[in-house]
Amino acid sequence: MGAACSTVVGAVHQPTGLRMKAQAYEMVKPGFDQSLPLRDLFDESKTPQFEFIRKPYVGKIMFSSSPIDPLWNNAKTQTVFHHGDEIHARATWARALRNLPLARHRTTGAPMYGPEKLVRGRDDFHCLHFYLFMYVDGVKIQGSFKDGALCHQELLGPNTNWEDHKIDASTTSDWWAFNQTMKLAVCAPPDSDSTGDDWFGKHVGAVSRALAKLPPGDHTFKVDMCFEMEAYRETILDMATRSWGLQHPSNGWPLDNTLMSSPIASGEFNFQVRAGDQAVVVSALPVRCPDVSEDDAIAVEKFCMKILKENRHGHDFSKETTLSATVIREWSQSEPCQRSGEGNLAYEKRRERERCDSIDVRVVWYRNPLNGWEEESVVLFDLCFNFKDRDNLQTFDHISIGGLRGDISADDVPEEVWAAAGVSRCPEALRKK
């Protein structure tokens, strides 16, 4: 089946239809170091804040012992760290990723670009993946993600209205179509509510384990940030047969995954290990919301674990094994939602009943191949537990689905968490497909 693709002459985007043969183009390695011209759609580089604040850091990953604000307010960068230091970073790149060529037309040599927007609605066409590759003293730290990346995060794109495809005003970041900077928690506890641009905090366990193995001395630590776009081929082809075809602004090309990009930002720091230093392995598990009292949070977390174990929630979580539940936001009042028969969050319909007291909980689910998963993994998933009365947990009403918040290595889950949940890992031979 051919790919729906586009050729580009200058900055003009010209759809050529779904049936173009795959042989008509060849994928290229995306990056700012290639000879093909960039597209020039509007992005963050066109804004005053980029010109006056971020331009000096283009192509760089800068490090600090505290989070670096997007506007670099009171930011204090540093290049030397020790065991026990938090290591935060901020990456900045030259143009929005949608402006990078993904392929070259074999006949004309014209560059070919991806969709103008990643649209998240009834059906997703593409997914954006970010990867961090890390090296110590020139030797790659072999991670468990694609091509040996140590950290990974996937982004389906900002929520949009399916009819007019406009970016939701509440969306704060769009790293495909606009944003060109991202906060990284290289070796620091993840935020209790990492809904902003802190996407790598969940993999700090892998980084801190690598640092803990270093012998005494000075070590050069390098970080490269890359990306790729994943294409949902079957969804795209199915969409092409419907009445609106591929007039969707997120058109159907590419039909296949892109190549892994060259680094869009890179940085180095010096890690000094002194004799007698105590290595610290940072937990990658969710952090409890500090605005909820400890007693209240513990009671809610225990109750939520019980509800999930007893399957008293009306959802099919039968393949998930719950390791922990952590309160990540304080109580609120909301009108609960119920999935429609189509089972898609984009089509949730309001239920006609009283408002509920709601609290958001981030659960850690173990996905065991013995339960039907392709390989072992541990995922973080947000659920909203709704009660008729927050002071009486026995008034539990229902769960609203939040969404997947990322994945961590099973190696980053402490033994005491497995023991407290009464869960054992699958045999080692089944942990990778």
Side-chain angles (χ1 to χ4, degrees), residues 223-360:
V223 182
D224 286 340
M225 184 176 182
C226 303
F227 79 94
E228 71 167 352
M229 174 182 281
E230 179 184 8
Y232 299 135
R233 170 184 282 266
E234 295 306 318
T235 300
I236 297 170
L237 293 177
D238 177 57
M239 290 289 290
T241 65
R242 302 186 189 182
S243 59
W244 51 83
L246 291 175
Q247 301 309 309
H248 198 287
S250 176
N251 64 51
W253 192 87
L255 226 70
D256 299 298
N257 299 350
T258 68
L259 300 179
M260 179 71 74
S261 76
S262 57
I264 58 174
S266 299
E268 291 185 358
F269 62 84
N270 183 262
F271 194 82
Q272 297 179 348
V273 181
R274 299 163 295 198
D277 279 357
Q278 184 67 40
V280 178
V281 177
V282 182
S283 172
L285 295 179
V287 177
R288 181 179 293 152
C289 176
D291 297 324
V292 180
S293 72
E294 184 175 3
D295 289 344
D296 195 9
I298 290 174
V300 170
E301 291 164 1
K302 286 182 177 179
F303 184 84
C304 293
M305 288 285 288
K306 185 172 184 289
I307 290 293
L308 292 170
K309 185 176 182 179
E310 295 175 355
N311 200 31
R312 291 197 288 123
H313 41 69
H315 297 276
D316 183 12
F317 299 147
S318 58
K319 292 175 64 177
E320 312 286 5
T321 302
T322 306
L323 296 180
S324 67
T326 305
V327 172
I328 59 169
R329 295 185 193 91
E330 57 186 330
W331 287 95
S332 63
Q333 275 200 333
S334 65
E335 296 180 11
C337 295
Q338 173 177 278
R339 282 176 178 267
S340 70
E342 299 189 30
N344 192 302
L345 290 178
Y347 283 91
E348 286 182 341
K349 298 177 180 178
R350 294 284 178 184
R351 300 173 71 174
E352 294 181 359
R353 60 186 186 189
E354 297 177 359
R355 297 172 67 91
C356 284
D357 290 327
S358 306
I359 193 162
D360 290 336

Side-chain angles (χ1 to χ4, degrees), residues 74-146:
N74 302 314
K76 295 181 180 179
T77 61
Q78 64 189 74
T79 57
V80 178
F81 297 90
H82 304 89
H83 281 306
D85 292 343
E86 290 190 4
I87 305 176
H88 299 263
R90 179 164 289 279
T92 306
W93 49 97
R95 297 298 307 269
L97 302 182
R98 68 174 178 175
N99 285 319
L100 285 170
L102 304 180
R104 177 190 293 108
H105 195 282
R106 290 185 185 274
T107 302
T108 67
M112 299 170 63
Y113 306 95
E116 293 188 8
K117 297 178 182 178
L118 293 191
V119 177
R120 187 176 185 179
R122 273 188 307 200
D123 299 274
D124 299 317
F125 282 7
H126 302 98
C127 179
L128 187 61
H129 295 263
F130 284 100
Y131 298 90
L132 290 186
F133 295 88
M134 302 192 185
Y135 307 81
V136 175
D137 299 330
V139 178
K140 184 178 183 179
I141 304 174
Q142 195 66 27
S144 59
F145 300 102
K146 185 171 182 178

Side-chain angles (χ1 to χ4, degrees), residues 344-416:
N344 192 302
L345 290 178
Y347 283 91
E348 286 182 341
K349 298 177 180 178
R350 294 284 178 184
R351 300 173 71 174
E352 294 181 359
R353 60 186 186 189
E354 297 177 359
R355 297 172 67 91
C356 284
D357 290 327
S358 306
I359 193 162
D360 290 336
V361 173
R362 185 158 295 162
V363 297
V364 178
W365 275 332
Y366 177 53
R367 293 184 168 176
N368 191 333
L370 296 176
N371 288 344
W373 297 100
E374 289 187 7
E375 62 180 9
E376 179 191 59
S377 66
V378 175
V379 300
L380 310 179
F381 206 96
D382 285 359
L383 300 175
C384 180
F385 286 77
N386 298 273
F387 302 82
K388 293 180 179 177
D389 180 1
R390 60 183 284 182
D391 295 322
N392 182 2
L393 298 183
Q394 299 306 317
T395 62
F396 167 73
D397 190 73
H398 73 287
I399 291 176
S400 300
I401 302 291
L404 184 67
R405 298 301 302 168
D407 56 299
I408 63 176
S409 168
D411 295 333
D412 290 342
V413 179
E415 289 298 327
E416 57 266 26

Side-chain angles (χ1 to χ4, degrees), residues 6-168:
S6 304
T7 57
V8 175
V9 179
V12 181
H13 196 68
Q14 299 177 335
T16 59
L18 180 67
R19 300 296 174 184
M20 179 178 245
K21 295 182 179 179
Q23 293 82 356
Y25 61 88
E26 59 180 352
M27 304 302 288
V28 299
K29 191 176 184 69
F32 298 104
D33 56 353
Q34 53 152 303
S35 60
L36 293 174
L38 299 179
R39 186 161 58 180
D40 196 30
L41 296 178
F42 180 78
D43 58 20
E44 198 172 3
S45 71
K46 306 288 188 179
T47 65
Q49 68 182 25
F50 192 91
E51 180 69 22
F52 294 108
I53 298 174
R54 299 192 178 129
K55 194 171 183 178
Y57 309 108
V58 165
K60 300 177 182 178
I61 298 178
M62 306 298 290
F63 302 93
S64 176
S65 58
S66 58
I68 300 176
D69 182 270
L71 299 179
W72 290 82
N73 292 320
N74 302 314
K76 295 181 180 179
T77 61
Q78 64 189 74
T79 57
V80 178
F81 297 90
H82 304 89
H83 281 306
D85 292 343
E86 290 190 4
I87 305 176
H88 299 263
R90 179 164 289 279
T92 306
W93 49 97
R95 297 298 307 269
L97 302 182
R98 68 174 178 175
N99 285 319
L100 285 170
L102 304 180
R104 177 190 293 108
H105 195 282
R106 290 185 185 274
T107 302
T108 67
M112 299 170 63
Y113 306 95
E116 293 188 8
K117 297 178 182 178
L118 293 191
V119 177
R120 187 176 185 179
R122 273 188 307 200
D123 299 274
D124 299 317
F125 282 7
H126 302 98
C127 179
L128 187 61
H129 295 263
F130 284 100
Y131 298 90
L132 290 186
F133 295 88
M134 302 192 185
Y135 307 81
V136 175
D137 299 330
V139 178
K140 184 178 183 179
I141 304 174
Q142 195 66 27
S144 59
F145 300 102
K146 185 171 182 178
D147 295 346
L150 198 62
C151 305
H152 163 257
Q153 181 64 38
E154 67 177 43
L155 302 171
L156 287 170
N159 290 320
T160 65
N161 180 297
W162 185 260
E163 300 303 323
D164 58 20
H165 319 299
K166 293 180 180 178
I167 300 298
D168 189 326

